[in-house]
Amino acid sequence: MNRRYRKTIIAGNWKMNKTAGETKKFAEELKAVMPKTKWCDVVVCVPAVNIPAAIKAFKDMRVSVGAQNVFYEKSGAYTGEVSADMLKDLGVKYVIIGHSERRQMFGETDFTVNKKVLAALDAGLHPIICVGESLEQRELGITMELIALQVKSALAGVPAEKLRKCVIAYEPIWAIGTGKTATAEQAAEVCTFIRTTVRHLYGARIARSITIQYGGSMKPGNAFELLGQNDIDGGLIGGASLNAGDFMDIINAANQD
Ligand code: PEP
């Protein structure tokens, strides 16, 4: 982290977990342990149907609500989809775009990720753009080429003034939901590379101010070390964000000096 130049953001990705009632219970549990003052921003990305319940539950808590996906068209015959304006209208602040589960299971490509990023920014949302390599790609030694491609395609057409609203999450696919965490060195190496890629595209000042998260089996036991790396400005947390105590421990790890 480098709080002098950029925000630290801890974001939970609940995936397809928790009902509206469970959302309320989680918020109460988190409120009971959350100190009033904090240095990092906290976001909880809930299933789309539970957004209204989450907005209500986290209202007095300085916890922002995020969505896990968005469609890029404004309106029309797109059965089952949700637009960026609809999310914004509900009070959503962040939206995860291009999560590897969506790329692998729901046919998302770098092209659709880019369209979603542009639509989210257009509506005034903060996209959390996920990039990351598979184990095969890491073993082939093409991680950095792949990450550069994913970052450049996701940001195509994004003007500099809007880049400030974007968060990039480095999520190695082999570390998501597997219990395998990238070492702090592996995570930091790629996060630094992402910042360098952004610097080549937008210049040093903007690259210095963009929040880059790490995601992949982050938990209370490894958060402190991961978040202690200069270029890791927060976490995107799946499994460990489902338990209020574990999530709070990670938030506390982000509040380190
Ligand atoms: C994720 O889904 O973005 C994620 C990082 O999951 P987990 O923390 O469970 O690996």
Side-chain angles (χ1 to χ4, degrees), residues 13 15 99 101 171 175-177 215-218 236-239:
N13 174 15
K15 312 191 185 191
H99 190 280
E101 285 155 15
E171 295 219 309
I176 294 179
S217 301
M218 189 185 275
L236 183 55
I237 298 120

Side-chain angles (χ1 to χ4, degrees), residues 5-254:
Y5 294 118
R6 46 199 180 252
K7 263 194 208 167
T8 303
I9 304 175
I10 297 295
N13 174 15
W14 281 2
K15 312 191 185 191
M16 199 172 71
N17 290 295
K18 293 198 192 289
T19 60
E22 288 164 344
T23 303
K24 185 168 176 266
K25 184 164 174 278
F26 177 97
E28 285 161 4
E29 287 169 3
L30 192 65
K31 194 172 189 172
V33 290
M34 200 163 188
K36 295 267 172 298
T37 50
K38 58 181 175 60
W39 302 329
C40 75
D41 284 19
V42 179
V43 183
V44 179
C45 299
V46 303
V49 287
N50 290 333
I51 288 170
I55 298 277
K56 196 168 161 207
F58 292 113
K59 190 172 74 220
D60 306 321
M61 291 179 58
R62 293 207 297 165
V63 171
S64 302
V65 173
Q68 300 171 13
N69 184 29
V70 64
F71 193 53
Y72 47 77
E73 294 292 351
K74 278 200 159 299
S75 62
Y78 304 104
T79 304
E81 294 294 335
V82 173
S83 77
D85 287 339
M86 291 170 186
L87 295 177
K88 180 76 179 170
D89 184 53
L90 287 177
V92 165
K93 195 164 169 198
Y94 290 87
V95 57
I96 298 173
I97 296 179
H99 190 280
S100 61
E101 285 155 15
R102 296 215 55 88
R103 291 182 192 251
Q104 288 179 317
M105 289 186 265
F106 301 100
E108 298 234 351
T109 63
D110 288 339
F111 180 70
T112 56
V113 167
N114 175 241
K115 289 177 81 153
K116 290 181 176 197
V117 169
L118 295 173
L121 288 170
D122 225 33
L125 297 170
H126 294 261
I128 300 177
I129 304 163
C130 299
V131 298
E133 82 287 5
S134 66
L135 190 58
E136 292 76 14
Q137 289 160 335
R138 175 159 280 265
E139 285 172 354
L140 281 172
I142 57 170
T143 298
M144 299 311 187
E145 284 92 331
L146 185 96
I147 297 289
L149 187 72
Q150 288 179 336
V151 170
K152 286 179 189 169
S153 351
L155 297 179
V158 174
E161 68 276 11
K162 286 201 175 166
L163 191 78
R164 294 174 192 288
K165 283 192 158 247
C166 297
V167 175
I168 300 180
Y170 167 53
E171 295 219 309
I173 298 170
W174 47 272
I176 294 179
T178 58
K180 274 190 204 160
T181 317
T183 63
E185 293 70 34
Q186 283 172 322
E189 185 189 21
V190 180
C191 289
T192 300
F193 176 77
I194 291 172
R195 201 176 303 287
T196 306
T197 306
V198 173
R199 192 179 66 219
H200 290 152
L201 293 171
Y202 292 93
R205 202 165 48 85
I206 289 178
R208 202 171 57 184
S209 65
I210 189 169
T211 296
I212 300 177
Q213 298 173 315
Y214 166 77
S217 301
M218 189 185 275
K219 39 191 181 268
N222 59 28
F224 193 84
E225 192 187 1
L226 285 161
L227 295 168
Q229 308 300 310
N230 184 55
D231 278 314
I232 301 182
D233 309 312
L236 183 55
I237 298 120
S241 72
L242 295 170
N243 176 286
D246 288 348
F247 193 49
M248 192 61 230
D249 283 347
I250 297 174
I251 296 167
N252 282 332

